[in-house]
Amino acid sequence: MGKIVIISGNPSKSSRLKGVLEFAASSMEKEGFSVSKLEVVDLPAEDLLHAKFDSPAVKAANALVEQADALIIATPVYKASYTGILKVFLDLIPQKGLENKKILPIAMGGTTAHLLMLEYALKPVLSVLGATHIEQGIFVQDGQVKRNENGTFEIAEEVTSRLTASLTTFMGSISKKVMV
């Protein structure tokens, strides 16, 4: 099966978006996909902020992206856009670094008013990086995911239904691409 990389542009490692991404990873792994996770917050801040393309950490992250058949790119919504930490990482991906990749954007925000961020802020940047196979994004309101005291997450059934449907379509498109 295909190789999928989940890129989290979340500046917090314990946010509710993590619960959504854990659900996605688990769903894809159950179907036999190889899933790797790239949390941009783990990359050296200096390398990101100073655009150190030659940094070993940046090179390793870009190699992971290059080897992937598909990517999930996830971000919380801040000020009606994706996070700055995701932006600085996307700036370090080569100009056509997303060419021939299947992309599934996922965003989490406080209100449905942030839904359009996927179309008007994130998709244009992904397109400039060569992405031509961008699936319809998934938007989750942060109130639809609850973090439990033990570190697990409860995701609203409406969200898991939408995620499952989108992931099924996404995995199907990856399987077809890998077979070609």
Side-chain angles (χ1 to χ4, degrees):
M1 286 271 174
K3 294 179 185 175
I4 301 170
V5 174
I6 296 174
I7 299 173
S8 175
N10 198 332
S12 170
K13 293 185 75 149
S14 63
S15 80
R16 290 173 286 213
L17 182 59
K18 180 179 181 177
V20 172
L21 298 180
E22 286 175 357
F23 178 89
S26 174
S27 298
M28 294 182 298
E29 288 168 343
K30 286 178 187 171
E31 295 299 321
F33 287 88
S34 168
V35 179
S36 300
K37 297 172 189 160
L38 172 58
E39 294 193 38
V40 180
V41 73
D42 289 338
L43 296 174
E46 184 174 330
D47 294 354
L48 292 171
L49 293 173
H50 294 284
K52 292 186 177 181
F53 291 90
D54 60 344
S55 151
V58 170
K59 284 182 175 182
N62 281 338
L64 197 60
V65 170
E66 182 180 340
Q67 295 162 7
D69 296 305
L71 303 165
I72 290 178
I73 299 179
T75 181
V77 178
Y78 287 179
K79 310 250 189 235
S81 189
Y82 50 91
T83 61
I85 195 168
L86 180 59
K87 173 66 169 118
V88 294
F89 176 68
L90 293 174
D91 286 345
L92 294 172
I93 293 176
Q95 184 165 357
K96 294 297 178 184
L98 301 183
E99 197 168 52
N100 299 317
K101 309 274 186 222
K102 302 283 183 177
I103 310 282
L104 177 62
I106 297 177
M108 179 176 273
T111 72
T112 56
H114 292 128
L115 169 68
L116 292 175
M117 181 282 297
L118 289 164
E119 293 294 322
Y120 293 107
L122 188 56
K123 278 189 177 181
V125 172
L126 300 177
S127 294
V128 167
L129 290 171
T132 55
H133 307 290
I134 304 172
E135 299 287 333
Q136 183 174 350
I138 301 168
F139 179 80
V140 179
Q141 283 188 257
D142 55 12
Q144 295 176 304
V145 180
K146 178 184 172 193
R147 183 183 23 247
N148 297 320
E149 289 182 19
N150 64 0
T152 62
F153 297 90
E154 287 179 48
I155 303 172
E157 186 176 328
E158 184 271 333
V159 174
T160 59
S161 293
R162 285 189 298 118
L163 276 169
T164 299
S166 292
L167 290 169
T168 299
T169 301
F170 185 58
M171 289 183 286
S173 69
I174 299 163
S175 296
K176 290 176 188 169
K177 177 187 178 218
V178 172
M179 294 174 132
V180 173

